[in-house]
Amino acid sequence: MKKLLFAAVAVFAFGAANAQEVKFGAKAALNLSNVTGDVEDNSMKVGFQIGGLVEIKISDKFAVQPELVYSAQGTKYDGDGNPKLNLDYLNIPVMAKFYVAEGFSLEAGPQVGFLMSAKVKTDAGDTDFKDFVNSTDFGLNFGAGYDVAENINLGVRYSLGLSNINKEDAVGDIKNSNIALAFAYKF
């Protein structure tokens, strides 16, 4: 883990040294999240994201954008008590952005998420579920964005979970899935 963190810092430092322009920003997003795999009778849950970003322009057509965002994810289940699985993560995506036209970008990149809390919520109350969920989640993101003004960006992103978030072997393989509709302000 230390080697991975060191490599990421080295890439950012090299990118920043060669960057044409660096912009900082804040972002907020509407999450439509779910879990996939060995689960049944579940559906999307609405949540949100909030955090910051740094857009490092390498050239006119290419940028790297690391982010740090709090993300409320999870799923809803059919059944008595209206159960919901609430998963709160601190996500760190690193997006490679390619500008295909003026203001319009396509993006892709890895993400690591650190579980902050996991709760099952029913009409009867909340139950801590953190002991049953892995503390680290890895994913791959794909998206698009459009700069509607010099400092305002609208975007959509799909996060495909790559790692099993479930600690219990008997339950099977369960992965996060998330669609984010985002608003970002860069300064």
Side-chain angles (χ1 to χ4, degrees):
M1 186 67 158
K2 288 181 184 177
K3 289 181 183 178
L4 178 64
L5 184 59
F6 178 74
V9 169
V11 167
F12 294 138
F14 177 74
N18 292 322
Q20 291 183 345
E21 181 181 356
V22 176
K23 287 187 176 181
F24 295 87
K27 75 179 282 188
L30 173 72
N31 279 349
L32 303 171
S33 61
N34 207 343
V35 294
T36 62
D38 297 325
V39 292
E40 295 179 1
D41 300 325
N42 65 318
S43 59
M44 280 189 176
K45 174 186 168 301
V46 176
F48 68 94
Q49 286 182 21
I50 190 163
L53 62 90
V54 179
E55 183 183 60
I56 305 165
K57 282 271 210 151
I58 305 301
S59 70
D60 289 340
K61 294 283 187 184
F62 184 73
V64 176
Q65 183 172 297
E67 301 174 4
L68 180 64
V69 294
Y70 168 83
S71 185
Q73 298 172 205
T75 192
K76 293 189 305 187
Y77 291 97
D78 297 335
D80 295 335
N82 300 313
K84 293 178 187 159
L85 176 60
N86 295 328
L87 301 171
D88 296 328
Y89 285 94
L90 185 61
N91 287 331
I92 305 172
V94 179
M95 306 304 292
K97 295 176 70 172
F98 181 68
Y99 283 88
V100 295
E102 183 68 31
F104 181 72
S105 64
L106 298 176
E107 58 187 31
Q111 172 176 289
V112 62
F114 300 100
L115 184 68
M116 297 174 62
S117 73
K119 294 187 181 193
V120 173
K121 182 176 181 152
T122 65
D123 292 341
D126 292 354
T127 304
D128 189 8
F129 203 69
K130 199 169 183 179
D131 290 340
F132 303 100
V133 180
N134 284 317
S135 61
T136 307
D137 179 42
F138 295 95
L140 189 57
N141 297 328
F142 304 95
Y146 184 69
D147 293 332
V148 295
E150 183 179 346
N151 296 329
I152 298 173
N153 179 273
L154 299 177
V156 62
R157 185 180 296 169
Y158 176 68
S159 298
L160 172 69
L162 299 176
S163 58
N164 185 6
I165 63 169
N166 176 37
K167 279 187 181 177
E168 300 296 313
D169 290 334
V171 176
D173 196 37
I174 300 173
K175 296 177 180 168
N176 279 312
S177 174
N178 191 67
I179 297 170
L181 307 171
F183 169 85
Y185 182 80
K186 297 181 236 175
F187 42 91

